């Protein structure tokens, strides 16, 4: 099967602060920094660190991580292994193995161009392919868990590389067995995609309205991708070095899910909401934030809520991690006081806490 790897990206100098490797552009100095352009190099780096008892922070796209102003005193491993390879074909489907260091949106574009359906609604999401199962990345009614059939990972406890099924990954809303654990290093991800010129069925009302369609309809892959990119750009959710609204981790808080009994006691029938499993109800964190008195552009010290999207907390160019988390606490505490609902951060916090 063909290997369609592309050129590797260029990184900042090795002595750069970790702000150079995150979409927030925040984070202090690393202890040491290793750039792993090959999978074997990444495994060897982790294996040696484990044997010597040294802490390691793995970074790829840096799009879902908040690093403290003091940086990370251990070794920082920059995962830059690249590659996209077709590893299986069946009637109407194709299985594609993607290296963890691949830029996610480059892969989505490649899939759309080749007529592989299933990822088009995840267009424009920053970060690497290897990070997507960790977070179970999702948008516009779609999650990577819908298409992942295996994650190839280095198991530090067993000192072996293993292929983990989707069930073993324990995917949940913005979560997986990989999140908040350093046991596994994701090396490759296998996606099973439909060979089709049309998108998966549209399941998100905002996207359906923008496309002029109904829920359950399908559109061309290119139309779906272009529309999602336009929607995300309008919310500052497509990376742009000249737009400080995109200097963020995307959505900072997850949408809270409450039990049916808790929902009934809140008296928030006027709020937008969606049914969840076992009678639970999911509420949009953005609505709660806005109605707790924190509008778009609400500012802290060198940081602010995005002027385009209430869920994004942004670095305006002279912010710090300390200031960003102060702003996040203000918002979290305000929502808790107003509605009795506690918001939880979506990104991983490194050497800092909320």
């Amino acid at each position: 099967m063909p290997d369609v790897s592309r050129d590797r990206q260029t990184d900042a100098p090795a002595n750069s602060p970790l702000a150079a490797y995150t979409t927030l552009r925040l984070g202090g100095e690393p202890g040491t920094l290793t750039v792993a352009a090959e999978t074997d190099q990444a495994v060897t780096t982790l294996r040696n660190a484990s044997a010597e008892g040294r802490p390691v922070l793995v970074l790829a796209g840096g799009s879902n991580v908040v690093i403290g102003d003091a940086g990370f005193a251990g070794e920082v491993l920059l995962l830059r292994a690249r590659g996209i390879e077709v590893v299986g074909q069946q009637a109407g489907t194709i299985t594609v193995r993607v290296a963890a260091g691949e830029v996610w949106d480059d892969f989505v574009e490649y899939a759309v161009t080749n007529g592989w359906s299933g990822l088009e609604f995840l267009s424009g999401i920053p970060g690497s392919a290897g990070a997507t199962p960790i977070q179970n990345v999702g948008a516009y009614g779609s999650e990577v868990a819908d298409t992942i059939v295996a994650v190839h990972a280095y198991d530090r406890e067993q000192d072996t590389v293993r292929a983990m099924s989707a069930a073993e990954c324990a995917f949940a809303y913005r979560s997986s067995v990989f999140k908040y654990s350093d046991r596994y290093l994701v090396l490759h991800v296998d996606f099973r995609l439909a060979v089709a010129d049309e998108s998966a069925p549209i399941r998100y009302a905002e996207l359906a309205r923008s496309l002029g369609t109904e829920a359950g309809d399908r559109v061309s892959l290119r139309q779906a991708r272009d529309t999602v990119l336009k929607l995300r750009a309008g919310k500052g959710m497509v990376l742009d070095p000249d737009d400080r609204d995109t200097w963020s981790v995307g959505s900072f808080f997850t949408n809270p899910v409450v039990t049916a009994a808790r929902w009934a006691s809140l008296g928030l029938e006027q709020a937008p909401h969606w049914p969840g499993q076992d009678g639970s109800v999911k509420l949009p964190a953005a609505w709660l934030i806005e109605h707790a008195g924190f509008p778009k552009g609400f500012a802290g010290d060198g940081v602010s809520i995005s002027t385009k999207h209430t869920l994004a907390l942004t670095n305006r160019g002279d912010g710090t991690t300390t200031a960003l988390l102060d702003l996040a606490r203000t918002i979290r505490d305000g929502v808790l006081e107003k509605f009795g609902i506690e918001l939880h951060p979506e990104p991983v916090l490194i050497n800092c806490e909320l």
Side-chain angles (χ1 to χ4, degrees), residues 171-294:
F171 290 123
Y173 173 60
R174 300 299 177 267
S175 184
S176 71
V177 71
F178 309 108
K179 193 170 183 179
Y180 306 123
S181 170
D182 62 0
R183 175 174 176 176
Y184 300 104
L185 171 65
V186 176
L187 302 173
H188 296 87
V189 185
D190 290 355
F191 297 89
R192 182 171 295 152
L193 306 173
V195 179
D197 293 328
E198 289 189 322
S199 70
I202 297 164
R203 294 182 285 183
Y204 200 81
E206 179 188 18
L207 181 58
R209 288 194 300 270
S210 296
L211 287 165
T213 61
E214 301 292 333
D217 289 347
R218 301 173 187 261
V219 297
S220 74
L221 293 178
R222 181 59 58 186
Q223 185 182 6
R225 173 168 166 78
D226 289 348
T227 301
V228 167
L229 287 173
K230 183 177 180 180
L231 285 170
R232 290 186 63 88
K235 299 173 182 178
M237 294 292 186
V238 177
L239 293 180
D240 180 347
D242 297 323
D243 183 356
R244 303 297 169 87
D245 277 334
T246 73
W247 292 24
S248 76
V249 292
S251 298
F252 192 91
F253 295 104
T254 57
N255 292 324
V257 178
V258 298
T259 65
R262 178 77 175 115
W263 167 249
S265 71
L266 288 172
L268 291 177
E269 291 79 7
Q270 79 281 9
H273 56 280
W274 306 278
Q277 295 180 342
D278 302 322
S280 64
V281 176
K282 181 188 293 185
L283 294 117
W287 187 93
L288 295 170
I289 292 168
E290 290 175 354
H291 287 77
F294 305 105

Side-chain angles (χ1 to χ4, degrees), residues 49-331:
S50 294
E52 298 167 10
R54 292 183 287 111
V56 179
L57 170 63
V58 179
L59 284 179
S63 61
N64 195 53
V65 63
V66 180
I67 301 175
D69 295 315
F72 184 78
E75 180 163 10
V76 176
L77 172 62
L78 287 179
L79 202 58
R80 294 296 184 256
R82 306 290 292 271
I84 302 172
E85 183 182 6
V86 175
V87 295
Q89 289 179 281
Q90 296 179 334
T93 68
I94 192 164
T95 301
V96 188
R97 182 165 299 161
V98 186
E102 273 293 333
V103 176
W104 172 251
D105 195 52
D106 288 355
F107 171 51
V108 176
E109 168 61 28
Y110 190 86
V112 167
T113 298
N114 282 274
W116 302 340
S117 174
L119 302 176
E120 53 280 355
F121 301 144
L122 303 177
S123 293
I125 294 176
S128 69
T132 60
I134 297 172
Q135 181 73 4
N136 187 16
V137 165
Y140 296 104
S142 179
E143 294 179 334
V144 288
D146 299 334
T147 57
I148 290 176
V149 292
V151 173
H152 303 262
Y154 172 59
D155 183 339
R156 298 177 71 180
E157 289 186 8
Q158 301 296 323
D159 190 24
T160 186
V161 175
R162 54 182 292 208
M164 302 174 65
S165 68
E168 290 175 297
C169 295
F171 290 123
Y173 173 60
R174 300 299 177 267
S175 184
S176 71
V177 71
F178 309 108
K179 193 170 183 179
Y180 306 123
S181 170
D182 62 0
R183 175 174 176 176
Y184 300 104
L185 171 65
V186 176
L187 302 173
H188 296 87
V189 185
D190 290 355
F191 297 89
R192 182 171 295 152
L193 306 173
V195 179
D197 293 328
E198 289 189 322
S199 70
I202 297 164
R203 294 182 285 183
Y204 200 81
E206 179 188 18
L207 181 58
R209 288 194 300 270
S210 296
L211 287 165
T213 61
E214 301 292 333
D217 289 347
R218 301 173 187 261
V219 297
S220 74
L221 293 178
R222 181 59 58 186
Q223 185 182 6
R225 173 168 166 78
D226 289 348
T227 301
V228 167
L229 287 173
K230 183 177 180 180
L231 285 170
R232 290 186 63 88
K235 299 173 182 178
M237 294 292 186
V238 177
L239 293 180
D240 180 347
D242 297 323
D243 183 356
R244 303 297 169 87
D245 277 334
T246 73
W247 292 24
S248 76
V249 292
S251 298
F252 192 91
F253 295 104
T254 57
N255 292 324
V257 178
V258 298
T259 65
R262 178 77 175 115
W263 167 249
S265 71
L266 288 172
L268 291 177
E269 291 79 7
Q270 79 281 9
H273 56 280
W274 306 278
Q277 295 180 342
D278 302 322
S280 64
V281 176
K282 181 188 293 185
L283 294 117
W287 187 93
L288 295 170
I289 292 168
E290 290 175 354
H291 287 77
F294 305 105
K296 297 180 182 70
F298 182 89
D301 184 10
V303 298
S304 79
I305 295 177
S306 166
T307 66
K308 301 182 180 73
H309 194 312
T310 312
L311 269 184
L313 306 188
T314 66
N315 171 16
R316 308 315 294 184
D318 56 354
T320 64
T321 300
T322 298
L324 186 88
L325 294 178
D326 284 345
L327 175 61
R329 289 186 199 98
T330 298
I331 294 168

Side-chain angles (χ1 to χ4, degrees), residues 253 288-289 292-294 298 325-344 354:
F253 295 104
L288 295 170
I289 292 168
F294 305 105
F298 182 89
L325 294 178
D326 284 345
L327 175 61
R329 289 186 199 98
T330 298
I331 294 168
R332 180 197 60 190
D333 294 348
V335 169
L336 182 61
E337 181 179 359
K338 175 75 172 179
F339 298 110
I341 296 174
E342 184 173 1
L343 298 180
H344 297 281
L354 185 58

